[in-house]
Every structure is written in structure tokens, then in C-alpha cells.
Amino acid sequence: MSRILDQRILLLVISFSAIVQSTKVLSKWKKCGDPECEKAMSRVQATADYLGPDCRYLSFKTGEEIIVYSKLSRENENLWTGSKGKDFGYFPRDAVKVEEVLIGEEVEVLTKETDFLCLHEDKYTFE
């Protein structure tokens, strides 16, 4: 009985660790094409394969096209946010090259907690 309880506690701790990691705020600020971050900022092409570490990240292969909607700023300027087909997420800016700039000026805004949650099938996943 004690062994089963120990295993359940261990599983609970592991689950809690995954939740904390997947909702971690990556930056307090981001740059966008408009104050609501709805306008596409640029079109980029992947220069390397990238496999994201969790569901918040966009995975892609070399040569794929990605539309950029925001760029984290200040604390973490290496991550951009974009979409490829129906997939959406963060990716490292050094894994892409800019093909076309679609906005004239970037606007810096505060991030929200929902910016760092997983998005699956048009719904936020609250773990």
C-alpha cells in the first residue's frame, strides 16, 4: 500500500512540474505589428529543421514558410511567434530568414499569461 502511495505522489510531482514548465512566462514584453498583435509582421523561411521542446513551440523543416505575428522582446529576444498552416507557436529567430516584411513599424506591448499556454484545435489547453 505504501509503495502505491509513493508512486502516486511521484506522478503528481512530475505532472505538476510539467504544468509549471508549460505555463512559464518567457518574456514580459513582445513586439507586434499592431497593439492587438493581429497583423502579420513578416513572412520568413526556415533555414534549419526545428523541433520545439513542448506544445507552445512551432516545429518545422528547412524551407517551410512561416508567418510571424510577434517577437518576444527585452528578456528573451530570440523567440518569435508565428504560424505554419494550422500550427502556431514560438520558434528561434536564428532558425529562419526574413523573406518579406509586411509592416512598417513594430509596437511593443505587454505579454499576457495566455500567450504562453498551449493551443490545440483552436482551444487553449489549461493543464
Side-chain angles (χ1 to χ4, degrees), residues 81-117:
T81 310
S83 66
K84 173 188 68 122
K86 292 183 179 181
D87 297 328
F88 185 86
Y90 292 95
F91 59 91
R93 73 178 183 185
D94 59 357
V96 299
K97 68 177 177 178
V98 176
E99 294 286 310
E100 180 180 12
V101 175
L102 304 172
I103 55 136
E105 190 173 319
E106 297 177 350
V107 178
E108 190 171 52
V109 297
L110 284 168
T111 59
K112 304 172 193 167
E113 283 186 29
T114 54
D115 289 338
F116 306 105
L117 298 175

Side-chain angles (χ1 to χ4, degrees), residues 48-105:
D49 292 354
Y50 177 71
L51 178 62
D54 63 44
C55 58
R56 296 174 297 167
Y57 292 81
L58 181 67
S59 296
F60 48 80
K61 301 271 187 211
T62 302
E64 290 187 300
E65 183 177 280
I66 301 163
I67 302 299
V68 177
Y69 288 94
S70 68
K71 302 172 181 179
L72 295 185
S73 61
R74 299 188 188 190
E75 304 97 44
N76 193 354
E77 294 186 356
N78 184 47
L79 291 176
W80 290 2
T81 310
S83 66
K84 173 188 68 122
K86 292 183 179 181
D87 297 328
F88 185 86
Y90 292 95
F91 59 91
R93 73 178 183 185
D94 59 357
V96 299
K97 68 177 177 178
V98 176
E99 294 286 310
E100 180 180 12
V101 175
L102 304 172
I103 55 136
E105 190 173 319

Side-chain angles (χ1 to χ4, degrees), residues 14-33:
I14 291 170
S15 296
F16 181 72
S17 297
I19 290 169
V20 170
Q21 180 182 5
S22 68
T23 57
K24 180 181 173 189
V25 173
L26 301 171
S27 178
K28 292 181 183 177
W29 295 92
K30 64 183 174 181
K31 293 179 182 177
C32 301

